Amino acid sequence: MKKLLITAVLLTGIFFGSVAVAEGRKDAANVTESSESIESINEGEKETAPEQSAEPQESSASNESVEQKKEEETVVQPAKTEETVKQQEKTEAQVEQSEPVEEETEEEQSTAGVKKCSSLSAACRTANFNMTAPKNFAIYKPTEYAAVTGRRVDVLYVNSKNKEEQFTVRKGLGNMDVTEDKENYPIVQFMNDSGILLLVKGTDADLYKVASWMSGDYAYSFESNVGFPKEVLMALVQELY
């Protein structure tokens, strides 16, 4: 009986020992499989890592391409700007050449052969002969001088109280009429005073707007937008020579 009990205890121990060994082997197998899974995962991550790192490289390459294009545009743009500036300067130079150059001299620009001058003496130098005219005549003052080279001198007088009232006196070489007012006036007649024969014109017999006469080798004229009576006109004629 004791032998049976001992045998039964031994068999039970062997059985549980086998089970424990089997469980241990199973746990070891699971650990091995887990380790292999972890290693395979790590290897997968290692293989994936280069692919992931490739994307930043591609992005970097794209950024470099964009920067290169910007640099090319930056290089090209100044050339276009410089070309535009040169074209603009060329255009401005052409405009300046096409425009008349104004020079501040005694004898200024001419209009239809008439040159504006800074003084009566400058006008006389242009005309190449002398002219005497009053510095002031009553309330009229000389404001402009002009001349035609070798031919004529003009002096414009303006009323100091009313600038709209003006008259012009002229002296020209030769016996040609130097008046520029060609209007047909209702009053046209001759007037003789102190040996000077004048042809006078106007809208009223007592108010003359145009007069012309000869003295020596020169022709003279008077033109007014308001007109002078005979006595005033004759007083002016005596001061012109």
Side-chain angles (χ1 to χ4, degrees):
M1 187 69 177
K2 287 183 180 179
K3 291 181 180 181
L4 291 174
L5 290 172
I6 293 168
T7 302
V9 171
L10 291 174
L11 291 172
T12 301
I14 292 169
F15 172 78
F16 282 107
S18 299
V19 171
V21 170
E23 290 293 333
R25 289 178 180 177
K26 186 176 181 181
D27 292 338
N30 289 335
V31 170
T32 303
E33 289 178 358
S34 298
S35 300
E36 290 176 354
S37 298
I38 293 170
E39 289 177 358
S40 62
I41 290 171
N42 291 334
E43 289 177 357
E45 289 178 351
K46 290 180 180 180
E47 291 176 357
T48 306
E51 294 179 356
Q52 292 177 348
S53 63
E55 291 180 358
Q57 290 177 358
E58 291 177 357
S59 177
S60 177
S62 178
N63 292 335
E64 291 177 357
S65 177
V66 171
E67 291 177 356
Q68 184 176 0
K69 288 182 179 180
K70 289 183 178 180
E71 290 176 356
E72 291 176 356
E73 290 176 355
T74 305
V75 172
V76 173
Q77 187 63 29
K80 290 182 179 179
T81 303
E82 184 177 357
E83 181 180 356
T84 302
V85 171
K86 287 182 179 180
Q87 184 65 30
Q88 183 177 357
E89 291 176 351
K90 183 178 180 180
T91 302
E92 291 176 351
Q94 291 176 349
V95 171
E96 291 176 356
Q97 290 176 359
S98 64
E99 293 178 351
V101 179
E102 296 182 1
E103 296 181 0
E104 294 296 330
T105 60
E106 287 187 348
E107 298 177 2
E108 299 172 355
Q109 295 180 3
S110 63
T111 303
V114 179
K115 296 181 179 180
K116 292 182 179 180
C117 304
S118 60
S119 64
L120 179 58
S121 60
C124 290
R125 286 196 298 271
T126 300
N128 201 29
F129 58 78
N130 292 326
M131 177 182 181
T132 300
K135 292 182 178 180
N136 295 300
F137 184 74
I139 59 175
Y140 289 84
K141 298 181 181 297
T143 59
E144 292 183 12
Y145 304 92
V148 177
T149 303
R151 295 179 57 188
R152 197 181 80 199
V153 174
D154 302 351
V155 183
L156 173 67
Y157 289 79
V158 177
N159 189 326
S160 58
K161 295 182 178 180
N162 184 358
K163 294 183 178 181
E164 293 183 357
E165 297 183 0
Q166 306 174 357
F167 73 85
T168 301
V169 292
R170 295 185 174 90
K171 179 180 180 178
L173 181 63
N175 58 2
M176 298 295 293
D177 185 7
V178 292
T179 59
E180 292 189 353
D181 187 347
K182 305 302 180 183
E183 184 176 344
N184 293 323
Y185 289 96
I187 304 297
V188 180
Q189 61 188 35
F190 287 96
M191 187 182 299
N192 193 332
D193 185 72
S194 302
I196 299 176
L197 183 65
L198 290 83
L199 176 64
V200 294
K201 303 176 183 180
T203 56
D204 191 299
D206 296 325
L207 200 63
Y208 303 103
K209 290 188 174 183
V210 179
S212 58
W213 66 98
M214 294 287 298
S215 180
D217 296 330
Y218 299 95
Y220 298 82
S221 72
F222 158 85
E223 298 172 44
S224 172
N225 63 347
V226 293
F228 280 4
K230 177 181 177 179
E231 294 77 11
V232 177
L233 175 60
M234 286 302 176
L236 175 62
V237 169
Q238 294 298 322
E239 296 193 48
L240 298 171
Y241 54 90

PDB file of all heavy atoms in Angstrom, residues 205-232:
ATOM      1  N   ALA A 205     -13.058 162.055 -86.221  1.00  0.00           N
ATOM      2  CA  ALA A 205     -12.205 163.102 -86.787  1.00  0.00           C
ATOM      3  C   ALA A 205     -11.300 163.734 -85.747  1.00  0.00           C
ATOM      4  O   ALA A 205     -10.282 164.348 -86.094  1.00  0.00           O
ATOM      5  CB  ALA A 205     -13.074 164.172 -87.458  1.00  0.00           C
ATOM      6  N   ASP A 206     -11.629 163.605 -84.484  1.00  0.00           N
ATOM      7  CA  ASP A 206     -10.825 164.197 -83.416  1.00  0.00           C
ATOM      8  C   ASP A 206     -10.056 163.157 -82.612  1.00  0.00           C
ATOM      9  O   ASP A 206      -9.479 163.484 -81.570  1.00  0.00           O
ATOM     10  CB  ASP A 206     -11.721 165.008 -82.473  1.00  0.00           C
ATOM     11  CG  ASP A 206     -12.366 166.204 -83.178  1.00  0.00           C
ATOM     12  OD1 ASP A 206     -11.696 166.784 -84.058  1.00  0.00           O
ATOM     13  OD2 ASP A 206     -13.517 166.518 -82.866  1.00  0.00           O
ATOM     14  N   LEU A 207     -10.063 161.932 -83.079  1.00  0.00           N
ATOM     15  CA  LEU A 207      -9.376 160.864 -82.338  1.00  0.00           C
ATOM     16  C   LEU A 207      -8.738 159.907 -83.345  1.00  0.00           C
ATOM     17  O   LEU A 207      -9.437 159.202 -84.067  1.00  0.00           O
ATOM     18  CB  LEU A 207     -10.369 160.109 -81.447  1.00  0.00           C
ATOM     19  CG  LEU A 207      -9.785 159.298 -80.283  1.00  0.00           C
ATOM     20  CD1 LEU A 207      -9.075 160.211 -79.285  1.00  0.00           C
ATOM     21  CD2 LEU A 207     -10.875 158.507 -79.589  1.00  0.00           C
ATOM     22  N   TYR A 208      -7.381 159.883 -83.364  1.00  0.00           N
ATOM     23  CA  TYR A 208      -6.664 159.111 -84.388  1.00  0.00           C
ATOM     24  C   TYR A 208      -5.957 157.903 -83.756  1.00  0.00           C
ATOM     25  O   TYR A 208      -5.273 158.041 -82.743  1.00  0.00           O
ATOM     26  CB  TYR A 208      -5.644 160.007 -85.100  1.00  0.00           C
ATOM     27  CG  TYR A 208      -6.288 161.220 -85.710  1.00  0.00           C
ATOM     28  CD1 TYR A 208      -6.174 162.476 -85.096  1.00  0.00           C
ATOM     29  CD2 TYR A 208      -7.007 161.125 -86.898  1.00  0.00           C
ATOM     30  CE1 TYR A 208      -6.765 163.610 -85.657  1.00  0.00           C
ATOM     31  CE2 TYR A 208      -7.616 162.258 -87.461  1.00  0.00           C
ATOM     32  CZ  TYR A 208      -7.492 163.477 -86.817  1.00  0.00           C
ATOM     33  OH  TYR A 208      -8.098 164.589 -87.377  1.00  0.00           O
ATOM     34  N   LYS A 209      -6.167 156.778 -84.416  1.00  0.00           N
ATOM     35  CA  LYS A 209      -5.566 155.542 -83.922  1.00  0.00           C
ATOM     36  C   LYS A 209      -4.318 155.134 -84.696  1.00  0.00           C
ATOM     37  O   LYS A 209      -3.489 154.380 -84.168  1.00  0.00           O
ATOM     38  CB  LYS A 209      -6.591 154.399 -83.980  1.00  0.00           C
ATOM     39  CG  LYS A 209      -7.721 154.545 -82.976  1.00  0.00           C
ATOM     40  CD  LYS A 209      -8.589 153.279 -82.945  1.00  0.00           C
ATOM     41  CE  LYS A 209      -9.627 153.354 -81.842  1.00  0.00           C
ATOM     42  NZ  LYS A 209     -10.435 152.120 -81.749  1.00  0.00           N
ATOM     43  N   VAL A 210      -4.156 155.596 -85.918  1.00  0.00           N
ATOM     44  CA  VAL A 210      -3.010 155.214 -86.746  1.00  0.00           C
ATOM     45  C   VAL A 210      -2.471 156.463 -87.428  1.00  0.00           C
ATOM     46  O   VAL A 210      -3.239 157.317 -87.907  1.00  0.00           O
ATOM     47  CB  VAL A 210      -3.402 154.163 -87.809  1.00  0.00           C
ATOM     48  CG1 VAL A 210      -2.186 153.802 -88.671  1.00  0.00           C
ATOM     49  CG2 VAL A 210      -3.974 152.910 -87.155  1.00  0.00           C
ATOM     50  N   ALA A 211      -1.135 156.531 -87.466  1.00  0.00           N
ATOM     51  CA  ALA A 211      -0.484 157.620 -88.201  1.00  0.00           C
ATOM     52  C   ALA A 211       0.818 157.099 -88.792  1.00  0.00           C
ATOM     53  O   ALA A 211       1.505 156.277 -88.168  1.00  0.00           O
ATOM     54  CB  ALA A 211      -0.217 158.815 -87.287  1.00  0.00           C
ATOM     55  N   SER A 212       1.150 157.574 -89.987  1.00  0.00           N
ATOM     56  CA  SER A 212       2.418 157.182 -90.617  1.00  0.00           C
ATOM     57  C   SER A 212       3.007 158.399 -91.327  1.00  0.00           C
ATOM     58  O   SER A 212       2.264 159.242 -91.847  1.00  0.00           O
ATOM     59  CB  SER A 212       2.202 156.037 -91.617  1.00  0.00           C
ATOM     60  OG  SER A 212       1.274 156.408 -92.621  1.00  0.00           O
ATOM     61  N   TRP A 213       4.328 158.509 -91.368  1.00  0.00           N
ATOM     62  CA  TRP A 213       4.999 159.645 -91.992  1.00  0.00           C
ATOM     63  C   TRP A 213       6.429 159.282 -92.342  1.00  0.00           C
ATOM     64  O   TRP A 213       6.958 158.263 -91.906  1.00  0.00           O
ATOM     65  CB  TRP A 213       4.949 160.873 -91.084  1.00  0.00           C
ATOM     66  CG  TRP A 213       5.724 160.751 -89.788  1.00  0.00           C
ATOM     67  CD1 TRP A 213       6.967 161.220 -89.532  1.00  0.00           C
ATOM     68  CD2 TRP A 213       5.275 160.138 -88.573  1.00  0.00           C
ATOM     69  NE1 TRP A 213       7.357 160.945 -88.247  1.00  0.00           N
ATOM     70  CE2 TRP A 213       6.319 160.276 -87.632  1.00  0.00           C
ATOM     71  CE3 TRP A 213       4.101 159.492 -88.186  1.00  0.00           C
ATOM     72  CZ2 TRP A 213       6.225 159.800 -86.336  1.00  0.00           C
ATOM     73  CZ3 TRP A 213       4.006 159.023 -86.901  1.00  0.00           C
ATOM     74  CH2 TRP A 213       5.062 159.161 -85.988  1.00  0.00           C
ATOM     75  N   MET A 214       7.062 160.149 -93.130  1.00  0.00           N
ATOM     76  CA  MET A 214       8.450 159.966 -93.558  1.00  0.00           C
ATOM     77  C   MET A 214       9.289 161.127 -93.051  1.00  0.00           C
ATOM     78  O   MET A 214       8.817 162.270 -92.962  1.00  0.00           O
ATOM     79  CB  MET A 214       8.540 159.910 -95.079  1.00  0.00           C
ATOM     80  CG  MET A 214       7.889 158.716 -95.727  1.00  0.00           C
ATOM     81  SD  MET A 214       8.825 157.192 -95.486  1.00  0.00           S
ATOM     82  CE  MET A 214      10.371 157.597 -96.306  1.00  0.00           C
ATOM     83  N   SER A 215      10.529 160.832 -92.752  1.00  0.00           N
ATOM     84  CA  SER A 215      11.484 161.869 -92.366  1.00  0.00           C
ATOM     85  C   SER A 215      12.881 161.398 -92.737  1.00  0.00           C
ATOM     86  O   SER A 215      13.382 160.422 -92.140  1.00  0.00           O
ATOM     87  CB  SER A 215      11.396 162.164 -90.869  1.00  0.00           C
ATOM     88  OG  SER A 215      12.336 163.165 -90.502  1.00  0.00           O
ATOM     89  N   GLY A 216      13.501 162.063 -93.738  1.00  0.00           N
ATOM     90  CA  GLY A 216      14.819 161.656 -94.213  1.00  0.00           C
ATOM     91  C   GLY A 216      14.750 160.273 -94.859  1.00  0.00           C
ATOM     92  O   GLY A 216      13.886 159.985 -95.697  1.00  0.00           O
ATOM     93  N   ASP A 217      15.632 159.395 -94.451  1.00  0.00           N
ATOM     94  CA  ASP A 217      15.695 158.045 -95.020  1.00  0.00           C
ATOM     95  C   ASP A 217      14.875 157.025 -94.233  1.00  0.00           C
ATOM     96  O   ASP A 217      15.017 155.807 -94.455  1.00  0.00           O
ATOM     97  CB  ASP A 217      17.151 157.566 -95.060  1.00  0.00           C
ATOM     98  CG  ASP A 217      18.007 158.412 -95.988  1.00  0.00           C
ATOM     99  OD1 ASP A 217      17.453 158.943 -96.980  1.00  0.00           O
ATOM    100  OD2 ASP A 217      19.218 158.550 -95.715  1.00  0.00           O
ATOM    101  N   TYR A 218      14.014 157.503 -93.341  1.00  0.00           N
ATOM    102  CA  TYR A 218      13.305 156.570 -92.458  1.00  0.00           C
ATOM    103  C   TYR A 218      11.792 156.796 -92.495  1.00  0.00           C
ATOM    104  O   TYR A 218      11.310 157.912 -92.746  1.00  0.00           O
ATOM    105  CB  TYR A 218      13.814 156.719 -91.018  1.00  0.00           C
ATOM    106  CG  TYR A 218      15.281 156.403 -90.878  1.00  0.00           C
ATOM    107  CD1 TYR A 218      16.240 157.418 -90.920  1.00  0.00           C
ATOM    108  CD2 TYR A 218      15.723 155.090 -90.718  1.00  0.00           C
ATOM    109  CE1 TYR A 218      17.598 157.134 -90.796  1.00  0.00           C
ATOM    110  CE2 TYR A 218      17.076 154.796 -90.593  1.00  0.00           C
ATOM    111  CZ  TYR A 218      17.998 155.813 -90.640  1.00  0.00           C
ATOM    112  OH  TYR A 218      19.343 155.520 -90.531  1.00  0.00           O
ATOM    113  N   ALA A 219      11.085 155.701 -92.230  1.00  0.00           N
ATOM    114  CA  ALA A 219       9.626 155.731 -92.127  1.00  0.00           C
ATOM    115  C   ALA A 219       9.238 155.537 -90.674  1.00  0.00           C
ATOM    116  O   ALA A 219       9.879 154.751 -89.947  1.00  0.00           O
ATOM    117  CB  ALA A 219       9.011 154.634 -92.992  1.00  0.00           C
ATOM    118  N   TYR A 220       8.175 156.235 -90.236  1.00  0.00           N
ATOM    119  CA  TYR A 220       7.717 156.160 -88.857  1.00  0.00           C
ATOM    120  C   TYR A 220       6.230 155.803 -88.828  1.00  0.00           C
ATOM    121  O   TYR A 220       5.496 156.036 -89.798  1.00  0.00           O
ATOM    122  CB  TYR A 220       7.924 157.498 -88.137  1.00  0.00           C
ATOM    123  CG  TYR A 220       9.373 157.943 -88.028  1.00  0.00           C
ATOM    124  CD1 TYR A 220      10.006 158.578 -89.096  1.00  0.00           C
ATOM    125  CD2 TYR A 220      10.099 157.744 -86.851  1.00  0.00           C
ATOM    126  CE1 TYR A 220      11.333 158.990 -88.996  1.00  0.00           C
ATOM    127  CE2 TYR A 220      11.417 158.164 -86.746  1.00  0.00           C
ATOM    128  CZ  TYR A 220      12.026 158.770 -87.820  1.00  0.00           C
ATOM    129  OH  TYR A 220      13.342 159.183 -87.722  1.00  0.00           O
ATOM    130  N   SER A 221       5.814 155.275 -87.679  1.00  0.00           N
ATOM    131  CA  SER A 221       4.392 154.989 -87.519  1.00  0.00           C
ATOM    132  C   SER A 221       3.980 155.066 -86.055  1.00  0.00           C
ATOM    133  O   SER A 221       4.812 154.931 -85.156  1.00  0.00           O
ATOM    134  CB  SER A 221       4.045 153.611 -88.080  1.00  0.00           C
ATOM    135  OG  SER A 221       4.561 152.587 -87.248  1.00  0.00           O
ATOM    136  N   PHE A 222       2.681 155.307 -85.864  1.00  0.00           N
ATOM    137  CA  PHE A 222       2.057 155.329 -84.540  1.00  0.00           C
ATOM    138  C   PHE A 222       0.782 154.497 -84.634  1.00  0.00           C
ATOM    139  O   PHE A 222      -0.012 154.648 -85.566  1.00  0.00           O
ATOM    140  CB  PHE A 222       1.730 156.775 -84.140  1.00  0.00           C
ATOM    141  CG  PHE A 222       0.657 156.894 -83.096  1.00  0.00           C
ATOM    142  CD1 PHE A 222       0.953 156.806 -81.751  1.00  0.00           C
ATOM    143  CD2 PHE A 222      -0.679 157.111 -83.475  1.00  0.00           C
ATOM    144  CE1 PHE A 222      -0.043 156.919 -80.797  1.00  0.00           C
ATOM    145  CE2 PHE A 222      -1.679 157.227 -82.524  1.00  0.00           C
ATOM    146  CZ  PHE A 222      -1.366 157.123 -81.174  1.00  0.00           C
ATOM    147  N   GLU A 223       0.562 153.609 -83.629  1.00  0.00           N
ATOM    148  CA  GLU A 223      -0.647 152.789 -83.577  1.00  0.00           C
ATOM    149  C   GLU A 223      -1.130 152.714 -82.140  1.00  0.00           C
ATOM    150  O   GLU A 223      -0.347 152.407 -81.239  1.00  0.00           O
ATOM    151  CB  GLU A 223      -0.376 151.376 -84.105  1.00  0.00           C
ATOM    152  CG  GLU A 223       0.066 151.325 -85.563  1.00  0.00           C
ATOM    153  CD  GLU A 223       0.513 149.940 -86.001  1.00  0.00           C
ATOM    154  OE1 GLU A 223      -0.186 148.965 -85.653  1.00  0.00           O
ATOM    155  OE2 GLU A 223       1.564 149.835 -86.656  1.00  0.00           O
ATOM    156  N   SER A 224      -2.436 152.997 -81.929  1.00  0.00           N
ATOM    157  CA  SER A 224      -2.997 153.005 -80.576  1.00  0.00           C
ATOM    158  C   SER A 224      -4.336 152.280 -80.579  1.00  0.00           C
ATOM    159  O   SER A 224      -5.090 152.352 -81.544  1.00  0.00           O
ATOM    160  CB  SER A 224      -3.180 154.445 -80.088  1.00  0.00           C
ATOM    161  OG  SER A 224      -3.894 154.471 -78.870  1.00  0.00           O
ATOM    162  N   ASN A 225      -4.633 151.607 -79.476  1.00  0.00           N
ATOM    163  CA  ASN A 225      -5.932 150.928 -79.374  1.00  0.00           C
ATOM    164  C   ASN A 225      -7.020 151.833 -78.823  1.00  0.00           C
ATOM    165  O   ASN A 225      -8.195 151.451 -78.801  1.00  0.00           O
ATOM    166  CB  ASN A 225      -5.813 149.666 -78.504  1.00  0.00           C
ATOM    167  CG  ASN A 225      -5.411 149.970 -77.077  1.00  0.00           C
ATOM    168  OD1 ASN A 225      -4.990 151.075 -76.762  1.00  0.00           O
ATOM    169  ND2 ASN A 225      -5.523 148.976 -76.200  1.00  0.00           N
ATOM    170  N   VAL A 226      -6.641 153.048 -78.372  1.00  0.00           N
ATOM    171  CA  VAL A 226      -7.636 153.995 -77.865  1.00  0.00           C
ATOM    172  C   VAL A 226      -7.699 155.281 -78.692  1.00  0.00           C
ATOM    173  O   VAL A 226      -8.740 155.929 -78.766  1.00  0.00           O
ATOM    174  CB  VAL A 226      -7.375 154.335 -76.379  1.00  0.00           C
ATOM    175  CG1 VAL A 226      -7.602 153.111 -75.511  1.00  0.00           C
ATOM    176  CG2 VAL A 226      -5.971 154.878 -76.178  1.00  0.00           C
ATOM    177  N   GLY A 227      -6.575 155.643 -79.348  1.00  0.00           N
ATOM    178  CA  GLY A 227      -6.556 156.851 -80.178  1.00  0.00           C
ATOM    179  C   GLY A 227      -6.127 158.096 -79.413  1.00  0.00           C
ATOM    180  O   GLY A 227      -6.368 158.200 -78.201  1.00  0.00           O
ATOM    181  N   PHE A 228      -5.472 159.003 -80.141  1.00  0.00           N
ATOM    182  CA  PHE A 228      -5.023 160.275 -79.588  1.00  0.00           C
ATOM    183  C   PHE A 228      -5.670 161.413 -80.374  1.00  0.00           C
ATOM    184  O   PHE A 228      -5.835 161.329 -81.595  1.00  0.00           O
ATOM    185  CB  PHE A 228      -3.504 160.409 -79.692  1.00  0.00           C
ATOM    186  CG  PHE A 228      -2.736 159.661 -78.626  1.00  0.00           C
ATOM    187  CD1 PHE A 228      -3.374 158.862 -77.688  1.00  0.00           C
ATOM    188  CD2 PHE A 228      -1.356 159.766 -78.568  1.00  0.00           C
ATOM    189  CE1 PHE A 228      -2.652 158.184 -76.716  1.00  0.00           C
ATOM    190  CE2 PHE A 228      -0.633 159.096 -77.602  1.00  0.00           C
ATOM    191  CZ  PHE A 228      -1.288 158.295 -76.672  1.00  0.00           C
ATOM    192  N   PRO A 229      -5.983 162.514 -79.685  1.00  0.00           N
ATOM    193  CA  PRO A 229      -6.416 163.712 -80.415  1.00  0.00           C
ATOM    194  C   PRO A 229      -5.234 164.329 -81.165  1.00  0.00           C
ATOM    195  O   PRO A 229      -4.069 163.998 -80.898  1.00  0.00           O
ATOM    196  CB  PRO A 229      -6.934 164.635 -79.316  1.00  0.00           C
ATOM    197  CG  PRO A 229      -6.287 164.158 -78.062  1.00  0.00           C
ATOM    198  CD  PRO A 229      -6.068 162.692 -78.222  1.00  0.00           C
ATOM    199  N   LYS A 230      -5.507 165.249 -82.095  1.00  0.00           N
ATOM    200  CA  LYS A 230      -4.472 165.804 -82.965  1.00  0.00           C
ATOM    201  C   LYS A 230      -3.329 166.424 -82.175  1.00  0.00           C
ATOM    202  O   LYS A 230      -2.151 166.175 -82.467  1.00  0.00           O
ATOM    203  CB  LYS A 230      -5.098 166.859 -83.882  1.00  0.00           C
ATOM    204  CG  LYS A 230      -4.094 167.540 -84.781  1.00  0.00           C
ATOM    205  CD  LYS A 230      -4.751 168.602 -85.651  1.00  0.00           C
ATOM    206  CE  LYS A 230      -3.709 169.330 -86.498  1.00  0.00           C
ATOM    207  NZ  LYS A 230      -4.339 170.367 -87.370  1.00  0.00           N
ATOM    208  N   GLU A 231      -3.615 167.240 -81.160  1.00  0.00           N
ATOM    209  CA  GLU A 231      -2.570 167.949 -80.422  1.00  0.00           C
ATOM    210  C   GLU A 231      -1.628 166.962 -79.709  1.00  0.00           C
ATOM    211  O   GLU A 231      -0.405 167.143 -79.715  1.00  0.00           O
ATOM    212  CB  GLU A 231      -3.188 168.894 -79.393  1.00  0.00           C
ATOM    213  CG  GLU A 231      -3.987 170.048 -79.974  1.00  0.00           C
ATOM    214  CD  GLU A 231      -5.373 169.603 -80.458  1.00  0.00           C
ATOM    215  OE1 GLU A 231      -5.771 168.439 -80.144  1.00  0.00           O
ATOM    216  OE2 GLU A 231      -6.026 170.402 -81.158  1.00  0.00           O
ATOM    217  N   VAL A 232      -2.171 165.945 -79.110  1.00  0.00           N
ATOM    218  CA  VAL A 232      -1.355 164.956 -78.401  1.00  0.00           C
ATOM    219  C   VAL A 232      -0.521 164.163 -79.395  1.00  0.00           C
ATOM    220  O   VAL A 232       0.666 163.879 -79.159  1.00  0.00           O
ATOM    221  CB  VAL A 232      -2.244 164.014 -77.567  1.00  0.00           C
ATOM    222  CG1 VAL A 232      -1.396 162.940 -76.887  1.00  0.00           C
ATOM    223  CG2 VAL A 232      -3.028 164.797 -76.525  1.00  0.00           C
TER     224      VAL A 232
END
